[in-house]
Amino acid sequence: MTEGIFIGGGGAGYTEAQHLLLKYANRHGLIAGATGTGKTVTLQILAESFSARGVPVILSDVKGDLSGLAASGSDSFKLHDAFISRAETIGFAEYAYRAFPVTFWDLYGQKGHPLRTTISEMGPLLLSRLLELTEAQEGVLNIAFRVADEQSLPLLDLKDLQALLVWVGEQRKTLSLRYGNVSTASIGAIQRRLLTLEGQGGANLFGEPALELGDMMQSDDQGFGRINILAADQLMGAPRLYATFLLWLLSELFETLPEVGDPDKPKLVFFFDEAHLLFEDAPKALVDKVEQVARLIRSKGVGIYFITQNPADVPEDILGQLGNRVQHALRAFTGKDRQELRQAAQNYRDNPDFDTEDAIREVGVGEAVTSMLERKGIPGIVQRTLIRPPSSRLGPIDAASRADLIGQSPVAGKYEAAMDRDSAFEMLARRAEQAAKDAEQAEATEAETETAAEREFHAARRYSGSRVSRSSAQRAPRSRSGRSDSIGTAFAKSFARQLGTRSGQALVRGVLGGLFRGR
């Protein structure tokens, strides 16, 4: 077995074998080209080759046709003769049909095992990107996460975050003094974005049991690395959700896996299809995070391969870290297209046998301009390469076959049933219930106190109702206000009857207290 994986044939007559050295496979890579030029087949043959070398693979199936990796190619396939002819042309003597071990995953739980993470694991930075929050709104979200940490409120699913934001809004005056302004407008905007995310199926992403990364880094009993296929055809309807989830997965790998130095082959290879979705309108903080992950994760044995139509979709700082490149044809219909084509050609080490810019424009379907890292990590001279044919089925498998494979996978039954353990939603609900009980008890205590005061009032001196003649020499004692106690008492009783409320009774007690003190 060679120390590299066979990509195809280059040079004169396509007879020179082109290999991607396993030792440098964790130096990342790029698969680029216009629609219909063969990017998906290149992704398929790379996934097959890494799996055959015992390297687990993670990839997303955007168009729904990569499930064929789980089935063997067939002599009856319409392109069988073309595949055999190409294998002979490029000297691929080991070419044979076979299936590869596949585990299917699906965020919606329909075409694979459910994929979940928790709100806490996603974190405020990626969640802000997912929700497209403004800087002020992101600040409020960071405050909410800080409060959850300080008060030991687990954030597992969307309802936990929604309940926490309600609580933050209720406590905004206190929190604003400590953390800065917490506006109800920002909270309302975040809640609306969460509602939209829920409508897009985002609620399926958050919850438990959360994904264990080890389940994506398995091999079968023959030593082949398992190919983890994320069903993304439906997920592409929410492109920001798709990109954010894959970035989260990549970040989790970076934060979880141990350092392995410079391994002989990768521990895992991660293919990021439709990579432009990750970088479109991305804030600088997010791009910096991707750059950091790409720069450092290779020492953990992980290779990242971005797949996109144009290399210009990838920021320069990240593009410069992609050592292994397969460039399918680019079309140049406009001035901008020609400029991007010229820029793409400048990313390669020149070959004196042809002009790189012309080659990128002229290569046919299934052919590409390639450059792989050579000894000591030096970029190889660019070659026009005829890509090898796939060993697995070209095209999707049927729903029944997929269901059988899902039922037989090593993680069958582990993630299917969702859990809803005690978390922020339940804890805050109990707090609100206890606060309501305390308020009710305080009101009852106040009512008892008022009842005692009323008894004292009714037991006090009452006005007899008899008139005192003008000639009487004895008059009732007068208070400092110049009014008699009997008149004050009658007025108070009349006033209390008219009001018939606690506030009125409290006012009466105040009036009586003043009158009695006046005596």
Side-chain angles (χ1 to χ4, degrees):
M1 184 175 291
T2 64
E3 58 184 15
I5 59 179
F6 182 71
I7 301 297
Y14 303 110
T15 56
E16 298 177 10
Q18 303 297 311
H19 289 92
L20 192 164
L21 298 180
L22 285 173
K23 183 177 179 62
Y24 300 113
N26 65 332
R27 303 291 180 91
H28 312 319
L30 174 72
I31 303 173
T35 301
T37 55
K39 298 191 301 296
T40 300
V41 175
T42 298
L43 166 58
Q44 185 168 341
I45 65 107
L46 286 177
E48 290 177 358
S49 300
F50 282 120
S51 174
R53 299 298 188 274
V55 179
V57 172
I58 298 174
L59 59 86
S60 53
D61 189 3
V62 173
K63 294 184 291 186
D65 53 4
L66 285 172
S67 59
L69 282 159
S72 173
S74 171
D75 295 344
S76 61
F77 183 56
K78 62 182 180 180
L79 294 178
H80 168 71
D81 292 339
F83 285 175
I84 296 300
S85 175
R86 176 170 294 197
E88 291 175 353
T89 299
I90 62 180
F92 190 19
E94 299 176 358
Y95 181 60
Y97 292 132
R98 68 150 294 152
F100 293 83
V102 166
T103 302
F104 291 105
W105 303 89
D106 184 4
L107 200 65
Y108 301 102
Q110 298 173 1
K111 297 182 178 180
H113 304 293
L115 274 169
R116 301 184 191 89
T117 184
T118 65
I119 292 288
S120 295
E121 289 176 342
M122 178 68 75
L125 176 61
L126 290 182
L127 201 55
S128 297
R129 162 68 170 167
L130 177 59
L131 299 176
E132 300 180 75
L133 301 184
T134 65
E135 184 176 352
Q137 294 161 2
E138 183 178 353
V140 171
L141 189 63
N142 275 283
I143 291 172
F145 270 77
R146 178 67 176 272
V147 169
D149 288 340
E150 292 179 349
Q151 302 206 15
S152 300
L153 296 171
L155 298 176
L156 305 181
D157 51 27
L158 281 184
K159 70 178 187 300
D160 288 330
L161 182 56
Q162 290 166 336
L164 176 63
L165 289 170
V166 170
W167 186 87
V168 167
E170 293 171 347
Q171 307 296 323
R172 63 185 181 280
K173 291 184 179 179
T174 303
L175 295 175
S176 294
L177 292 174
R178 181 174 181 184
Y179 300 110
N181 185 43
V182 177
S183 71
T184 54
S186 292
I187 294 175
I190 298 172
Q191 293 282 39
R192 289 192 297 273
R193 294 299 176 89
L194 290 174
L195 189 63
T196 301
L197 176 62
E198 191 172 6
Q200 294 175 340
N204 296 302
L205 172 59
F206 299 108
E208 291 186 319
L211 174 67
E212 295 181 16
L213 293 179
D215 290 334
M216 285 190 159
M217 301 182 67
Q218 299 184 8
S219 300
D220 68 0
D221 53 5
Q222 298 181 34
F224 278 59
R226 296 197 71 86
I227 301 174
N228 298 273
I229 300 179
L230 170 64
D233 46 349
Q234 181 181 354
L235 186 58
M236 288 302 293
R240 197 168 290 263
L241 178 60
Y242 164 79
T244 304
F245 171 75
L246 288 185
L247 181 55
W248 166 80
L249 186 56
L250 195 59
S251 299
E252 283 295 295
L253 290 168
F254 170 68
E255 294 172 3
T256 304
L257 296 180
E259 295 280 343
V260 295
D262 195 12
D264 293 332
K265 65 179 182 180
K267 300 296 182 184
L268 177 74
V269 171
F270 188 107
F271 290 95
F272 202 128
D273 202 358
E274 301 294 343
H276 66 280
L277 296 175
L278 176 60
F279 302 109
E280 282 182 353
D281 302 321
K284 186 177 184 302
L286 186 64
V287 175
D288 289 345
K289 182 177 179 65
V290 176
E291 181 187 355
Q292 179 194 40
V293 170
R295 185 175 65 254
L296 300 178
I297 202 171
R298 73 182 191 185
S299 65
K300 301 192 175 190
V302 177
I304 307 170
Y305 288 72
F306 292 100
I307 306 164
T308 189
Q309 291 194 11
N310 196 310
D313 296 332
V314 182
E316 282 289 337
D317 291 340
I318 298 173
L319 188 64
Q321 300 181 47
L322 310 182
N324 302 293
R325 302 187 180 190
V326 179
Q327 175 68 65
H328 290 275
L330 287 177
R331 311 305 182 197
F333 298 111
T334 68
K336 181 182 179 183
D337 292 340
R338 289 193 293 271
Q339 182 180 359
E340 291 178 344
L341 174 60
R342 189 175 304 109
Q343 184 179 358
Q346 293 172 353
N347 292 324
Y348 292 91
R349 183 178 167 191
D350 291 334
N351 188 325
D353 295 336
F354 59 86
D355 182 81
T356 305
E357 185 177 341
D358 290 340
I360 294 176
R361 184 187 299 109
E362 296 169 358
V363 290
V365 176
E367 187 181 5
V369 171
T370 64
S371 174
M372 305 296 164
L373 293 179
E374 298 178 343
R375 304 288 179 182
K376 299 182 180 180
I378 299 173
I381 294 175
V382 65
Q383 298 286 346
R384 290 186 63 155
T385 302
L386 199 60
I387 303 298
R388 52 150 284 201
S391 297
S392 56
R393 180 181 300 178
L394 187 62
I397 59 175
D398 57 51
S401 299
R402 180 191 285 264
D404 289 341
L405 289 168
I406 292 171
Q408 298 169 14
S409 84
V411 295
K414 182 174 181 179
Y415 296 101
E416 275 63 23
M419 296 169 50
D420 189 14
R421 64 183 176 94
D422 199 55
S423 54
F425 177 81
E426 290 79 13
M427 292 178 179
L428 291 172
R430 286 197 296 271
R431 287 188 188 182
E433 183 180 357
Q434 185 60 46
K437 288 180 179 179
D438 292 343
E440 185 178 350
Q441 181 63 37
E443 187 175 348
T445 302
E446 181 182 357
E448 292 176 1
T449 303
E450 291 177 353
T451 301
E454 288 174 1
R455 287 197 299 269
E456 180 181 352
F457 165 73
H458 289 303
R461 179 179 176 181
R462 286 175 169 75
Y463 172 56
S464 63
S466 59
R467 292 182 176 272
V468 180
S469 65
R470 292 181 180 271
S471 60
S472 174
Q474 182 180 2
R475 296 187 180 273
R478 303 179 67 86
S479 65
R480 294 178 185 177
S481 62
R483 298 178 182 273
S484 67
D485 289 344
S486 59
I487 294 175
T489 301
F491 172 79
K493 289 178 64 179
S494 174
F495 189 46
R497 282 195 301 271
Q498 291 175 12
L499 289 178
T501 62
R502 290 178 181 171
S503 60
Q505 294 167 7
L507 180 59
V508 168
R509 289 198 301 273
V511 171
L512 287 176
L515 292 174
F516 286 133
R517 285 194 297 273
R519 296 181 62 185

